[in-house]
Amino acid sequence: MRRLDGKVLLMTGAGGSIGSAAARRCAEQGANLVLTDIREDALEQSAHDARAAGAEVLSLISDTRSEEACDDAVAQAVEKFGRIDMVWANAGEAWVSESLEQDKDFWTRCLELELIGQWLPIRAALPTMVEQQSGSVLVSSSMTANTAYRHIAAYSAAKGGLQSLMKTLMVEFGDDNIRFNSLAIGSTEGRHIVASNAMRAGISFEEAERVVDLTKVTRDFIFPLGRMGTPDDIAPAVEFFASDDSAWVTGTTFFVDGGLTSAGMAGLHRFDANQWGTFKRTMLDD
């Protein structure tokens, strides 16, 4: 048997680079997938890849900020597959601005997506998991909730809130055999890091892609493992928390960050003056 044979996984933000990599990985391990995103083209590509890897897939255009949309996604999942074994709340985007420029509207929009929008699909699925007396809930938090970076006050607060939420739900639903965990994801190649650069520098997404490509080698220096992460580095962690191998793991924050949180800026000793200048202009302002 494959690791996830017969399991039903609901993934939000499934059209993103990390979401699609994890969907493909779990499909290869036998999971049936309910994939949601607000971007139709990206979602359909992710669903296509997951089907090609062997999964039965229900793909839904769905906004996690809508309680009704989340309830409907869960209802359709249960109608099609009869159960939900895992919810991975992964939808999100970059929220970068100097702290004093993050007004009430900025904070409201950020928390609505990054915190409330993670909670609503979980809330929608919990009654099904309680009835089953089993389930796994995973949220995409960030290493930025556990270390200090500039210009992401609202984002870091939201990601820290997710980690606290998982601990609260752990004790409320432990007797129902439902486990709750967070992924503290580090800087990972893909759309999210490019969007973050674009917002900070006030440039287009396409221009930011070129910047990220140019500075990749410099960025890699700060990771103890010598490189920035890829979506395929995150996918196995999602698979683990979807599997029965994590049956006695709950309330954890699991760091998938190439060691960066623990190492801090220890990697800076490798830089010469030119590399330091490039790093300071890019990574420290990221």
Side-chain angles (χ1 to χ4, degrees):
M1 289 183 64
R2 293 170 295 179
R3 202 178 193 188
L4 301 180
D5 272 343
K7 291 192 178 294
V8 178
L9 280 52
L10 191 158
M11 300 180 170
T12 71
S17 51
I18 293 174
S20 58
R24 186 173 61 253
R25 171 94 179 201
C26 293
E28 292 168 349
Q29 289 299 316
N32 296 315
L33 301 175
V34 181
L35 305 180
T36 79
D37 206 298
I38 59 173
R39 295 173 297 131
E40 184 173 4
D41 291 347
L43 176 62
E44 287 312 307
Q45 182 61 57
S46 180
H48 174 272
D49 293 345
R51 292 186 182 104
E56 187 172 357
V57 178
L58 172 64
S59 62
L60 302 169
I61 303 297
S62 183
D63 189 337
T64 57
R65 294 166 293 190
S66 165
E67 194 167 22
E68 293 77 11
C70 292
D71 290 344
D72 182 65
V74 167
Q76 290 195 54
V78 173
E79 181 179 0
K80 182 172 180 62
F81 294 114
R83 60 184 298 109
I84 297 176
D85 295 290
M86 181 192 192
V87 173
W88 177 32
N90 176 59
E93 60 185 53
W95 296 89
V96 180
S97 179
E98 292 185 11
S99 293
L100 290 180
E101 294 178 357
Q102 296 186 19
D103 59 12
K104 181 179 179 180
D105 177 66
F106 185 100
W107 271 76
T108 299
R109 289 185 293 111
C110 177
L111 295 180
E112 187 178 33
L113 179 61
E114 303 293 343
L115 186 56
I116 299 171
Q118 301 265 29
W119 161 239
L120 291 178
I122 295 168
R123 180 180 182 273
L126 277 173
T128 297
M129 291 183 169
V130 169
E131 184 177 351
Q132 295 167 181
Q133 287 292 285
S134 66
S136 175
V137 173
L138 184 67
V139 294
S140 288
S141 182
S142 169
M143 61 170 285
T144 61
N146 307 93
T147 189
Y149 287 89
R150 299 192 302 174
H151 301 164
I152 50 173
Y155 180 83
S156 295
K159 293 304 187 182
L162 287 175
Q163 294 177 19
S164 296
L165 175 63
M166 293 299 95
K167 291 177 173 62
T168 299
L169 297 177
M170 170 192 71
V171 296
E172 288 194 22
F173 293 93
D175 288 342
D176 298 301
N177 194 32
I178 305 170
R179 55 199 193 275
F180 299 84
N181 296 286
S182 307
L183 290 184
I185 300 173
S187 296
T188 304
E189 295 176 12
R191 181 177 180 273
H192 198 82
I193 195 69
V194 176
S196 176
N197 275 265
M199 291 178 70
R200 185 175 302 281
I203 59 179
S204 70
F205 188 88
E206 292 73 19
E207 290 172 317
E209 282 185 306
R210 290 193 290 273
V211 170
V212 169
D213 287 342
L214 288 170
T215 59
K216 181 183 183 304
V217 174
T218 305
R219 286 170 178 264
D220 286 347
F221 267 93
I222 69 170
F223 291 88
L225 292 179
R227 64 175 178 83
M228 184 185 291
T230 71
D232 287 331
D233 290 319
I234 312 302
V238 178
E239 178 195 339
F240 169 72
F241 284 107
S243 77
D244 293 336
D245 292 342
S246 61
W248 209 51
V249 181
T250 193
T252 66
T253 297
F254 186 82
F255 288 82
V256 194
D257 68 347
L260 186 57
T261 302
S262 295
M265 295 301 170
L268 297 186
H269 73 278
R270 303 173 179 173
F271 287 180
D272 61 29
N274 290 332
Q275 289 168 331
W276 168 251
T278 303
F279 175 84
K280 189 174 186 299
R281 288 193 301 273
T282 58
M283 189 63 182
L284 291 186
D285 285 336
D286 188 30

